[in-house]
Amino acid sequence: VVDTGAPVEQGEVKIISASMDATGKVNEPITATIKTSTNVAKVRLFNENGMGLAPTTCTYVDEGDVRTWTYTLSVGTPGTRNFTVKVAGSDLTWAEDTLDLQVRVTR
């Protein structure tokens, strides 16, 4: 789990924390849980090459001023994979705030 530890200001587009399955298998679902401010309209994971990864599913639930996203994806190659979490507000412009996640993918 990666946590920014910073409180969320009202109206702010912010990542609060992110976690991901520690291991996964090639072409099988891997799940990331991302907590953001409720002003976040879009979440995306990017691979080591800066390419956006399309999720299999991406849903969220609001609890007070925290939006919890469940982002499911699959990866086609084995190895230790590093992903960057980015978020955007309603203007769909990526915020500067990012977090990094890692997963070990096996065959």
Side-chain angles (χ1 to χ4, degrees):
V1 174
V2 182
D3 191 336
T4 63
V8 175
E9 300 285 328
Q10 187 169 3
E12 193 173 20
V13 174
K14 182 148 186 69
I15 303 171
I16 299 168
S17 67
S19 62
M20 177 176 256
D21 296 341
T23 60
K25 292 191 179 245
V26 169
N27 297 324
E28 291 188 10
I30 299 170
T31 301
T33 302
I34 303 149
K35 292 185 182 272
T36 69
S37 62
T38 53
N39 295 321
V40 170
K42 183 178 182 179
V43 169
R44 181 64 54 96
L45 269 63
F46 290 81
N47 68 13
E48 303 88 346
N49 299 317
M51 301 296 292
L53 302 173
T56 307
T57 62
C58 185
T59 59
Y60 67 82
V61 174
D62 288 341
E63 300 171 34
D65 60 350
V66 175
R67 180 166 285 173
T68 302
W69 298 80
T70 303
Y71 191 105
T72 305
L73 68 146
S74 63
V75 178
T77 56
T80 300
R81 304 300 304 270
N82 299 298
F83 302 117
T84 301
V85 180
K86 293 186 179 185
V87 297
S90 58
D91 64 355
L92 300 183
T93 300
W94 296 119
E96 290 184 34
D97 196 24
T98 65
L99 286 178
D100 294 325
L101 296 173
Q102 189 176 75
V103 62
R104 175 80 180 138
V105 180
T106 59
R107 290 195 185 276

XYZ file of all heavy atoms in Angstrom:
802
model
N 0.853 -1.180 0.000
C 0.000 0.000 0.000
C 0.886 1.226 0.000
O 1.817 1.331 0.792
C -0.922 0.024 1.241
C -1.692 1.326 1.307
C -1.842 -1.155 1.257
N 0.611 2.155 -0.898
C 1.311 3.423 -0.956
C 0.320 4.485 -0.535
O -0.787 4.559 -1.063
C 1.824 3.721 -2.382
C 2.576 5.017 -2.413
C 2.684 2.580 -2.890
N 0.690 5.293 0.467
C -0.208 6.302 1.020
C 0.499 7.639 1.012
O 1.629 7.749 1.471
C -0.586 5.899 2.453
C -1.716 6.722 3.024
O -1.923 7.858 2.563
O -2.393 6.227 3.930
N -0.162 8.684 0.492
C 0.454 10.008 0.464
C 0.463 10.632 1.846
O 1.268 11.522 2.108
C -0.285 10.949 -0.500
O -1.613 11.141 -0.032
C -0.259 10.412 -1.911
N -0.434 10.224 2.742
C -0.474 10.739 4.100
C -0.999 12.154 4.217
O -1.087 12.693 5.309
N -1.342 12.781 3.109
C -1.807 14.166 3.140
C -3.331 14.234 3.169
O -3.996 13.453 2.503
C -1.285 14.901 1.913
N -3.891 15.165 3.968
C -5.347 15.326 3.975
C -5.829 15.884 2.636
O -5.075 16.550 1.926
C -5.601 16.316 5.106
C -4.320 17.062 5.252
C -3.229 16.114 4.838
N -7.079 15.616 2.309
C -7.649 16.070 1.041
C -8.388 17.384 1.265
O -9.226 17.496 2.151
C -8.621 15.013 0.472
C -9.295 15.527 -0.780
C -7.879 13.733 0.189
N -8.044 18.384 0.470
C -8.741 19.663 0.508
C -10.003 19.554 -0.345
O -10.015 18.842 -1.350
C -7.847 20.763 -0.076
C -6.531 20.949 0.654
C -6.695 21.661 1.975
O -7.590 22.509 2.081
O -5.929 21.353 2.903
N -11.058 20.276 0.032
C -12.295 20.234 -0.746
C -12.035 20.787 -2.149
O -11.372 21.794 -2.309
C -13.388 21.048 -0.059
C -14.723 20.886 -0.734
C -15.836 21.482 0.101
O -15.608 22.054 1.144
N -17.048 21.330 -0.382
N -12.529 20.099 -3.161
C -12.358 20.506 -4.549
C -11.060 20.031 -5.183
O -10.830 20.252 -6.353
N -10.219 19.374 -4.408
C -8.916 18.935 -4.895
C -9.017 17.603 -5.638
O -9.768 16.728 -5.255
C -7.975 18.794 -3.695
C -6.533 18.652 -4.037
C -5.649 18.686 -2.795
O -6.139 18.445 -1.685
O -4.455 18.914 -2.965
N -8.233 17.446 -6.704
C -8.105 16.187 -7.435
C -6.845 15.536 -6.896
O -5.740 15.972 -7.199
C -8.013 16.437 -8.953
C -7.724 15.150 -9.690
C -9.292 17.084 -9.458
N -7.003 14.491 -6.066
C -5.872 13.954 -5.326
C -5.965 12.447 -5.160
O -7.035 11.907 -4.955
C -5.844 14.601 -3.941
C -4.697 14.161 -3.084
C -4.277 15.280 -2.184
C -3.045 14.955 -1.412
N -1.849 14.876 -2.205
N -4.798 11.778 -5.219
C -4.693 10.361 -4.868
C -4.393 10.293 -3.380
O -3.468 10.957 -2.902
C -3.546 9.666 -5.637
C -3.724 9.802 -7.144
C -3.466 8.200 -5.242
C -2.510 9.329 -7.933
N -5.164 9.492 -2.653
C -4.935 9.314 -1.223
C -4.027 8.112 -0.990
O -3.049 8.193 -0.251
C -6.264 9.147 -0.474
C -7.113 10.401 -0.651
C -6.025 8.824 0.989
C -8.548 10.256 -0.211
N -4.355 6.974 -1.605
C -3.539 5.769 -1.463
C -3.820 4.831 -2.628
O -4.816 4.975 -3.328
C -3.810 5.066 -0.129
O -5.124 4.545 -0.111
N -2.935 3.847 -2.778
C -3.118 2.840 -3.829
C -2.461 1.548 -3.385
O -1.419 1.564 -2.737
C -2.521 3.315 -5.148
N -3.092 0.431 -3.716
C -2.510 -0.881 -3.439
C -2.844 -1.799 -4.609
O -3.760 -1.535 -5.377
C -3.041 -1.466 -2.129
O -4.433 -1.656 -2.201
N -2.058 -2.871 -4.729
C -2.255 -3.800 -5.839
C -1.885 -5.193 -5.375
O -1.058 -5.339 -4.462
C -1.365 -3.380 -7.012
C -1.405 -4.283 -8.212
S -0.424 -3.624 -9.568
C -1.731 -3.019 -10.596
N -2.492 -6.208 -6.002
C -2.090 -7.578 -5.731
C -0.566 -7.654 -5.829
O 0.027 -7.090 -6.744
C -2.697 -8.537 -6.754
C -4.219 -8.603 -6.694
O -4.801 -8.211 -5.666
O -4.817 -9.057 -7.689
N 0.079 -8.359 -4.899
C 1.536 -8.474 -4.913
C 2.027 -9.355 -6.058
O 3.105 -9.144 -6.607
C 2.038 -9.029 -3.581
N 1.211 -10.353 -6.420
C 1.562 -11.259 -7.505
C 0.346 -11.490 -8.386
O -0.792 -11.292 -7.966
C 2.059 -12.624 -6.983
O 1.028 -13.220 -6.205
C 3.312 -12.477 -6.146
N 0.611 -11.933 -9.602
C -0.460 -12.261 -10.529
C 0.080 -13.189 -11.592
O 1.282 -13.472 -11.642
N -0.810 -13.669 -12.440
C -0.410 -14.548 -13.534
C -0.702 -13.859 -14.861
O -1.611 -13.053 -14.969
C -1.165 -15.876 -13.451
C -0.759 -16.696 -12.252
C -1.321 -18.096 -12.339
C -0.870 -18.868 -11.142
N 0.005 -19.959 -11.484
N 0.085 -14.219 -15.875
C -0.072 -13.667 -17.216
C -1.513 -13.895 -17.686
O -2.069 -14.990 -17.544
C 0.938 -14.320 -18.189
C 0.632 -13.963 -19.629
C 2.345 -13.913 -17.821
N -2.108 -12.859 -18.228
C -3.455 -12.871 -18.814
C -4.565 -13.242 -17.832
O -5.640 -13.653 -18.260
C -3.498 -13.771 -20.053
C -2.590 -13.254 -21.144
O -2.442 -12.051 -21.341
N -1.949 -14.151 -21.852
N -4.324 -13.114 -16.540
C -5.366 -13.310 -15.531
C -5.578 -11.999 -14.789
O -4.673 -11.159 -14.737
C -4.977 -14.438 -14.570
C -4.991 -15.793 -15.259
C -4.793 -16.948 -14.291
O -4.826 -16.736 -13.062
O -4.591 -18.069 -14.787
N -6.767 -11.794 -14.207
C -7.073 -10.513 -13.566
C -6.129 -10.169 -12.407
O -5.794 -11.007 -11.582
C -8.491 -10.708 -13.039
C -9.054 -11.841 -13.827
C -7.898 -12.715 -14.178
N -5.695 -8.916 -12.398
C -4.921 -8.320 -11.317
C -5.713 -7.092 -10.880
O -6.173 -6.324 -11.727
C -3.515 -7.915 -11.793
C -2.741 -9.146 -12.269
C -2.754 -7.185 -10.695
C -1.435 -8.819 -12.979
N -5.851 -6.907 -9.570
C -6.688 -5.825 -9.076
C -5.886 -4.783 -8.314
O -5.059 -5.123 -7.470
C -7.800 -6.377 -8.159
O -8.579 -7.310 -8.914
C -8.701 -5.268 -7.646
N -6.142 -3.517 -8.639
C -5.583 -2.387 -7.898
C -6.745 -1.678 -7.210
O -7.833 -1.552 -7.785
C -4.867 -1.423 -8.832
N -6.523 -1.241 -5.982
C -7.501 -0.450 -5.241
C -6.888 0.923 -5.026
O -5.795 1.037 -4.463
C -7.851 -1.107 -3.899
O -8.353 -2.418 -4.158
C -8.888 -0.305 -3.145
N -7.577 1.942 -5.506
C -7.049 3.308 -5.475
C -8.056 4.194 -4.759
O -9.226 4.232 -5.130
C -6.803 3.815 -6.910
C -5.837 2.865 -7.631
C -6.271 5.240 -6.905
C -6.047 2.747 -9.098
N -7.594 4.897 -3.733
C -8.451 5.830 -2.996
C -8.080 7.241 -3.420
O -6.901 7.605 -3.427
C -8.288 5.648 -1.496
C -8.830 4.316 -1.020
C -8.766 4.182 0.491
C -9.263 2.823 0.923
N -10.671 2.756 1.137
N -9.107 8.014 -3.791
C -8.900 9.379 -4.274
C -9.911 10.310 -3.615
O -10.823 9.866 -2.919
C -9.102 9.467 -5.799
O -10.499 9.264 -6.096
C -8.255 8.453 -6.547
N -9.769 11.586 -3.900
C -10.810 12.538 -3.532
C -12.005 12.288 -4.453
O -11.865 11.694 -5.527
C -10.294 13.973 -3.693
O -9.948 14.226 -5.041
N -13.178 12.731 -4.048
C -14.381 12.503 -4.869
C -14.407 13.384 -6.110
O -15.266 13.202 -6.976
C -15.663 12.728 -4.048
O -15.603 14.015 -3.445
C -15.831 11.657 -2.985
N -13.470 14.297 -6.244
C -13.393 15.138 -7.442
C -12.667 14.453 -8.592
O -12.585 14.999 -9.680
C -12.702 16.457 -7.112
C -13.524 17.268 -6.151
O -14.737 17.313 -6.255
N -12.869 17.892 -5.197
N -12.131 13.256 -8.357
C -11.449 12.509 -9.414
C -12.499 11.863 -10.310
O -13.386 11.165 -9.841
C -10.488 11.452 -8.823
C -9.972 10.528 -9.908
C -9.344 12.138 -8.097
N -12.385 12.124 -11.610
C -13.336 11.584 -12.579
C -12.751 10.433 -13.385
O -13.482 9.679 -14.022
C -13.792 12.690 -13.531
N -11.408 10.291 -13.366
C -10.760 9.268 -14.182
C -9.488 8.789 -13.491
O -8.719 9.591 -12.967
C -10.413 9.859 -15.552
C -9.794 8.897 -16.528
C -9.555 9.599 -17.859
C -8.974 8.659 -18.878
N -8.753 9.319 -20.162
N -9.290 7.470 -13.517
C -8.084 6.839 -12.986
C -7.489 5.985 -14.099
O -8.214 5.326 -14.839
C -8.423 5.936 -11.767
C -7.245 5.076 -11.383
C -8.877 6.764 -10.599
N -6.160 5.994 -14.208
C -5.513 5.164 -15.219
C -4.173 4.692 -14.682
O -3.477 5.437 -14.010
C -5.303 5.964 -16.506
C -4.663 5.221 -17.678
C -5.459 4.065 -18.259
N -6.795 4.344 -18.669
C -7.188 4.633 -19.901
N -6.331 4.681 -20.885
N -8.458 4.849 -20.158
N -3.814 3.461 -14.992
C -2.488 2.935 -14.693
C -1.672 2.982 -15.973
O -2.185 2.683 -17.059
C -2.576 1.492 -14.192
C -2.703 1.312 -12.678
C -3.968 1.917 -12.155
C -2.597 -0.137 -12.306
N -0.409 3.374 -15.846
C 0.516 3.455 -16.964
C 1.666 2.494 -16.713
O 2.142 2.375 -15.582
C 1.051 4.881 -17.120
C 0.006 5.846 -17.601
C -0.909 6.407 -16.724
C -0.078 6.188 -18.935
C -1.884 7.283 -17.156
C -1.048 7.066 -19.390
C -1.959 7.618 -18.497
N 2.132 1.811 -17.769
C 3.233 0.858 -17.610
C 4.581 1.570 -17.636
O 4.647 2.804 -17.711
C 3.153 -0.258 -18.657
C 3.418 0.209 -20.066
O 3.890 1.306 -20.323
N 3.121 -0.658 -21.025
N 5.654 0.793 -17.607
C 7.015 1.315 -17.564
C 7.357 2.188 -18.772
O 8.238 3.033 -18.709
C 8.029 0.166 -17.500
C 7.853 -0.777 -16.333
C 6.884 -1.933 -16.606
O 6.127 -1.906 -17.602
O 6.872 -2.871 -15.805
N 6.663 1.974 -19.883
C 6.923 2.732 -21.115
C 6.007 3.936 -21.268
O 5.980 4.560 -22.321
C 6.765 1.811 -22.328
C 7.745 0.661 -22.278
O 8.906 0.850 -21.947
N 7.282 -0.533 -22.582
N 5.206 4.217 -20.232
C 4.303 5.361 -20.286
C 3.018 5.102 -21.045
O 2.262 6.030 -21.326
N 2.758 3.841 -21.377
C 1.533 3.494 -22.100
C 0.398 3.260 -21.112
O 0.565 2.524 -20.137
C 1.744 2.230 -22.933
C 2.861 2.339 -23.956
S 2.541 3.565 -25.234
C 1.197 2.797 -26.072
N -0.756 3.863 -21.371
C -1.927 3.672 -20.523
C -2.470 2.267 -20.663
O -2.540 1.728 -21.772
N -2.832 1.655 -19.549
C -3.371 0.299 -19.554
C -4.886 0.362 -19.432
O -5.413 0.878 -18.451
C -2.793 -0.502 -18.383
C -1.273 -0.600 -18.347
C -0.826 -1.252 -17.061
C -0.771 -1.372 -19.544
N -5.563 -0.145 -20.423
C -7.024 -0.173 -20.383
C -7.475 -1.216 -19.371
O -7.017 -2.357 -19.421
C -7.586 -0.495 -21.761
N -8.344 -0.829 -18.461
C -8.806 -1.804 -17.470
C -9.833 -2.757 -18.056
O -10.538 -2.421 -19.003
C -9.448 -0.923 -16.401
C -9.947 0.266 -17.163
C -8.929 0.488 -18.260
N -9.894 -3.961 -17.469
C -10.975 -4.884 -17.787
C -12.258 -4.326 -17.187
O -13.297 -4.306 -17.829
C -10.679 -6.282 -17.197
O -9.394 -6.680 -17.643
C -11.716 -7.294 -17.616
N -12.148 -3.867 -15.938
C -13.236 -3.156 -15.266
C -12.632 -2.040 -14.424
O -11.491 -2.140 -13.970
C -14.068 -4.067 -14.329
O -13.212 -4.566 -13.306
C -14.710 -5.207 -15.080
N -13.402 -0.985 -14.234
C -12.978 0.121 -13.383
C -14.246 0.738 -12.793
O -15.022 1.370 -13.514
C -12.182 1.151 -14.167
S -11.521 2.465 -13.126
N -14.447 0.510 -11.509
C -15.634 1.026 -10.835
C -15.206 1.774 -9.578
O -14.065 1.643 -9.125
C -16.583 -0.119 -10.433
O -15.882 -1.020 -9.567
C -17.083 -0.876 -11.654
N -16.124 2.558 -9.023
C -15.799 3.251 -7.777
C -17.015 3.327 -6.867
O -18.157 3.191 -7.316
C -15.231 4.652 -8.027
C -16.211 5.638 -8.618
C -17.121 6.321 -7.811
C -16.219 5.901 -9.979
C -18.001 7.248 -8.351
C -17.093 6.812 -10.529
C -17.973 7.490 -9.707
O -18.848 8.392 -10.256
N -16.718 3.540 -5.587
C -17.733 3.738 -4.557
C -17.304 4.946 -3.742
O -16.132 5.049 -3.359
C -17.847 2.499 -3.635
C -18.797 2.754 -2.490
C -18.258 1.281 -4.430
N -18.243 5.867 -3.484
C -17.951 7.026 -2.653
C -18.326 6.737 -1.209
O -19.414 6.221 -0.932
C -18.728 8.251 -3.129
C -18.192 8.810 -4.438
O -17.041 8.496 -4.791
O -18.922 9.567 -5.105
N -17.418 7.064 -0.298
C -17.653 6.956 1.130
C -17.224 8.277 1.743
O -16.030 8.505 1.943
C -16.853 5.798 1.729
C -17.212 4.446 1.120
C -16.250 3.358 1.574
O -15.766 3.396 2.716
O -15.985 2.466 0.746
N -18.192 9.163 1.998
C -17.857 10.497 2.488
C -17.091 11.251 1.421
O -17.535 11.356 0.286
N -15.901 11.755 1.769
C -15.103 12.516 0.809
C -14.006 11.673 0.154
O -13.071 12.198 -0.436
C -14.500 13.753 1.473
C -13.584 13.417 2.636
O -13.559 12.245 3.062
O -12.885 14.326 3.110
N -14.146 10.338 0.252
C -13.174 9.424 -0.356
C -13.864 8.569 -1.418
O -14.914 7.982 -1.175
C -12.523 8.507 0.706
C -11.602 7.491 0.048
C -11.760 9.330 1.734
N -13.255 8.517 -2.585
C -13.742 7.669 -3.685
C -12.778 6.482 -3.793
O -11.582 6.667 -4.010
C -13.773 8.472 -4.976
C -14.256 7.694 -6.186
C -14.582 8.616 -7.330
N -15.844 9.279 -7.021
C -16.374 10.267 -7.751
N -15.749 10.726 -8.818
N -17.521 10.814 -7.392
N -13.315 5.252 -3.656
C -12.495 4.045 -3.744
C -12.730 3.378 -5.092
O -13.835 2.932 -5.385
C -12.824 3.074 -2.594
O -12.614 3.755 -1.347
C -11.952 1.837 -2.653
N -11.677 3.324 -5.887
C -11.716 2.746 -7.225
C -11.221 1.310 -7.173
O -10.228 1.018 -6.505
C -10.809 3.523 -8.173
C -11.167 4.950 -8.376
C -10.874 5.998 -7.538
C -11.864 5.519 -9.478
N -11.348 7.161 -8.070
C -11.961 6.906 -9.254
C -12.406 4.983 -10.644
C -12.583 7.767 -10.154
C -13.032 5.835 -11.537
C -13.122 7.206 -11.292
N -11.874 0.422 -7.907
C -11.398 -0.943 -8.107
C -11.078 -1.073 -9.590
O -11.965 -0.982 -10.437
C -12.457 -1.977 -7.673
O -12.779 -1.734 -6.299
C -11.946 -3.389 -7.836
N -9.803 -1.239 -9.889
C -9.281 -1.228 -11.256
C -8.714 -2.617 -11.536
O -7.743 -3.034 -10.913
C -8.177 -0.167 -11.313
C -7.657 0.225 -12.668
C -8.015 1.434 -13.239
C -6.749 -0.567 -13.351
C -7.489 1.849 -14.456
C -6.223 -0.172 -14.570
C -6.612 1.042 -15.115
O -6.089 1.439 -16.328
N -9.360 -3.354 -12.441
C -8.921 -4.710 -12.773
C -8.330 -4.713 -14.176
O -8.918 -4.161 -15.103
C -10.108 -5.689 -12.687
O -10.694 -5.589 -11.399
C -9.661 -7.118 -12.914
N -7.156 -5.324 -14.307
C -6.490 -5.400 -15.597
C -5.803 -6.750 -15.714
O -5.732 -7.511 -14.751
C -5.449 -4.280 -15.730
C -4.239 -4.382 -14.817
C -3.020 -3.846 -15.546
C -4.463 -3.583 -13.548
N -5.305 -7.050 -16.891
C -4.469 -8.245 -17.072
C -3.212 -7.824 -17.817
O -3.203 -6.821 -18.531
C -5.213 -9.347 -17.820
O -5.535 -8.926 -19.118
N -2.139 -8.589 -17.595
C -0.836 -8.281 -18.177
C -0.399 -9.472 -19.014
O -0.533 -10.614 -18.581
C 0.187 -7.991 -17.051
C 1.551 -7.709 -17.629
C -0.280 -6.826 -16.198
N 0.135 -9.209 -20.203
C 0.486 -10.281 -21.129
C 1.903 -10.784 -21.047
O 2.256 -11.716 -21.770
N 2.743 -10.181 -20.191
C 4.132 -10.624 -20.108
C 4.537 -10.836 -18.648
O 4.122 -10.083 -17.781
C 5.087 -9.600 -20.748
O 4.896 -8.328 -20.130
C 4.858 -9.490 -22.237
N 5.339 -11.858 -18.374
C 5.784 -12.106 -17.002
C 6.900 -11.152 -16.591
O 7.522 -10.509 -17.444
C 6.297 -13.544 -17.055
C 6.736 -13.734 -18.466
C 5.821 -12.876 -19.301
N 7.136 -11.078 -15.292
C 8.220 -10.260 -14.759
C 7.702 -9.318 -13.696
O 6.511 -9.272 -13.400
N 8.609 -8.561 -13.113
C 8.221 -7.544 -12.148
C 7.789 -6.320 -12.927
O 8.558 -5.767 -13.711
C 9.392 -7.198 -11.204
O 9.770 -8.398 -10.521
C 8.989 -6.145 -10.198
N 6.556 -5.936 -12.746
C 5.976 -4.834 -13.513
C 5.740 -3.643 -12.598
O 5.275 -3.789 -11.474
C 4.651 -5.274 -14.146
C 4.753 -6.513 -15.039
C 5.700 -6.326 -16.221
N 5.336 -5.176 -17.021
C 4.496 -5.211 -18.047
N 3.951 -6.342 -18.424
N 4.200 -4.111 -18.702
N 6.085 -2.462 -13.086
C 5.908 -1.216 -12.353
C 4.862 -0.372 -13.052
O 4.965 -0.153 -14.264
C 7.238 -0.457 -12.283
C 8.288 -1.256 -11.555
O 8.128 -1.561 -10.387
N 9.354 -1.619 -12.253
N 3.883 0.078 -12.304
C 2.807 0.890 -12.854
C 2.728 2.228 -12.128
O 2.978 2.297 -10.927
C 1.461 0.183 -12.717
C 1.419 -1.157 -13.388
C 1.224 -2.308 -12.650
C 1.584 -1.269 -14.752
C 1.188 -3.554 -13.254
C 1.553 -2.517 -15.379
C 1.355 -3.653 -14.626
N 2.383 3.264 -12.863
C 2.162 4.584 -12.292
C 0.670 4.871 -12.325
O 0.032 4.715 -13.370
C 2.924 5.664 -13.089
O 4.319 5.345 -13.052
C 2.704 7.042 -12.505
N 0.123 5.276 -11.182
C -1.287 5.634 -11.078
C -1.410 7.131 -11.328
O -0.710 7.932 -10.700
C -1.844 5.317 -9.670
C -3.311 5.709 -9.584
C -1.640 3.855 -9.326
N -2.293 7.490 -12.262
C -2.580 8.898 -12.539
C -4.075 9.115 -12.410
O -4.867 8.211 -12.677
C -2.125 9.290 -13.947
C -0.618 9.260 -14.129
C -0.234 9.795 -15.491
C 1.278 9.786 -15.672
N 1.665 10.418 -16.949
N -4.452 10.335 -12.017
C -5.858 10.686 -11.868
C -6.135 12.009 -12.578
O -5.237 12.826 -12.762
C -6.271 10.789 -10.376
C -6.114 9.453 -9.691
C -5.492 11.867 -9.647
N -7.397 12.180 -12.961
C -7.825 13.417 -13.612
C -9.171 13.842 -13.045
O -9.970 13.005 -12.618
C -7.937 13.213 -15.119
N -9.416 15.143 -13.071
C -10.703 15.689 -12.654
C -11.669 15.711 -13.823
O -11.429 15.088 -14.863
N -12.732 16.463 -13.669
C -13.761 16.505 -14.709
C -13.260 17.131 -16.007
O -13.831 16.896 -17.066
C -14.996 17.255 -14.209
O -14.632 18.564 -13.814
N -12.153 17.890 -15.953
C -11.585 18.459 -17.178
C -10.722 17.435 -17.931
O -10.214 17.714 -19.011
C -10.759 19.701 -16.867
C -9.538 19.415 -15.998
O -9.356 18.255 -15.547
O -8.758 20.361 -15.757
N -10.556 16.217 -17.339
C -9.792 15.101 -17.898
C -8.321 15.425 -18.152
O -7.656 14.798 -18.969
C -10.455 14.559 -19.164
C -11.886 14.038 -18.964
C -12.425 13.466 -20.257
C -11.952 13.015 -17.838
N -7.791 16.397 -17.410
C -6.371 16.718 -17.449
C -5.692 15.966 -16.316
O -6.128 16.038 -15.165
C -6.150 18.241 -17.263
O -6.814 18.930 -18.314
C -4.674 18.584 -17.277
N -4.616 15.232 -16.612
C -3.934 14.455 -15.585
C -3.351 15.371 -14.525
O -2.687 16.360 -14.852
C -2.815 13.604 -16.188
C -3.284 12.557 -17.143
C -2.954 12.454 -18.458
C -4.174 11.470 -16.877
N -3.581 11.372 -19.019
C -4.343 10.743 -18.074
C -4.854 11.034 -15.745
C -5.138 9.619 -18.166
C -5.667 9.911 -15.832
C -5.803 9.216 -17.023
N -3.577 15.036 -13.274
C -2.998 15.778 -12.157
C -1.515 15.443 -12.049
O -1.073 14.383 -12.502
C -3.722 15.412 -10.860
N -0.736 16.334 -11.447
C 0.695 16.082 -11.258
C 0.926 14.975 -10.239
O 1.929 14.275 -10.292
C 1.402 17.358 -10.809
C 1.491 18.405 -11.893
C 2.273 19.621 -11.442
O 3.231 19.464 -10.652
O 1.923 20.719 -11.878
N 0.002 14.808 -9.318
C 0.073 13.824 -8.249
C 0.003 12.409 -8.831
O -0.934 12.084 -9.553
C -1.129 14.069 -7.322
C -1.004 13.396 -5.992
O 0.121 13.122 -5.560
O -2.059 13.158 -5.365
N 1.012 11.555 -8.575
C 1.007 10.169 -9.035
C 1.509 9.263 -7.914
O 2.125 9.730 -6.962
C 1.916 9.959 -10.268
O 3.274 10.195 -9.900
C 1.522 10.866 -11.423
N 1.231 7.965 -8.029
C 1.785 6.956 -7.129
C 2.271 5.790 -7.976
O 1.738 5.529 -9.055
C 0.731 6.448 -6.143
C 0.337 7.384 -4.994
C -0.745 6.737 -4.138
C 1.523 7.745 -4.143
N 3.274 5.067 -7.480
C 3.814 3.919 -8.195
C 3.444 2.615 -7.481
O 3.474 2.549 -6.255
C 5.336 4.023 -8.308
C 5.766 5.185 -9.187
O 5.062 5.475 -10.174
O 6.804 5.805 -8.889
N 3.077 1.614 -8.274
C 2.738 0.279 -7.757
C 3.590 -0.755 -8.477
O 4.033 -0.534 -9.605
C 1.265 -0.032 -8.016
C 0.242 0.844 -7.307
C -1.161 0.530 -7.807
C 0.335 0.665 -5.806
N 3.776 -1.901 -7.832
C 4.573 -2.974 -8.426
C 3.861 -4.313 -8.229
O 3.252 -4.540 -7.186
C 5.955 -3.012 -7.764
C 6.938 -3.934 -8.441
C 8.294 -3.835 -7.801
O 8.480 -4.359 -6.720
N 9.227 -3.154 -8.449
N 3.940 -5.176 -9.235
C 3.373 -6.516 -9.158
C 4.342 -7.485 -9.833
O 4.987 -7.135 -10.818
C 1.962 -6.583 -9.809
C 2.016 -6.247 -11.282
C 1.314 -7.932 -9.592
N 4.434 -8.680 -9.289
C 5.269 -9.744 -9.884
C 4.329 -10.647 -10.668
O 3.453 -11.304 -10.094
C 5.987 -10.517 -8.783
C 6.782 -11.696 -9.277
C 8.102 -11.254 -9.831
N 8.822 -12.444 -10.295
C 9.490 -12.473 -11.417
N 9.580 -11.408 -12.158
N 10.108 -13.557 -11.795
N 4.509 -10.717 -11.973
C 3.648 -11.501 -12.857
C 4.388 -12.758 -13.284
O 5.534 -12.689 -13.741
C 3.214 -10.681 -14.098
C 2.322 -11.505 -14.997
C 2.522 -9.400 -13.673
N 3.734 -13.923 -13.100
C 4.335 -15.208 -13.474
C 3.488 -15.866 -14.561
O 2.356 -15.483 -14.807
C 4.435 -16.151 -12.261
O 3.131 -16.366 -11.744
C 5.327 -15.561 -11.182
N 4.042 -16.896 -15.173
C 3.321 -17.617 -16.229
C 2.187 -18.423 -15.679
O 1.983 -18.882 -14.716
C 4.266 -18.527 -16.986
C 5.223 -17.724 -17.815
C 5.914 -18.598 -18.856
N 6.903 -17.829 -19.549
C 6.626 -17.049 -20.598
N 5.423 -16.953 -21.059
N 7.587 -16.368 -21.172
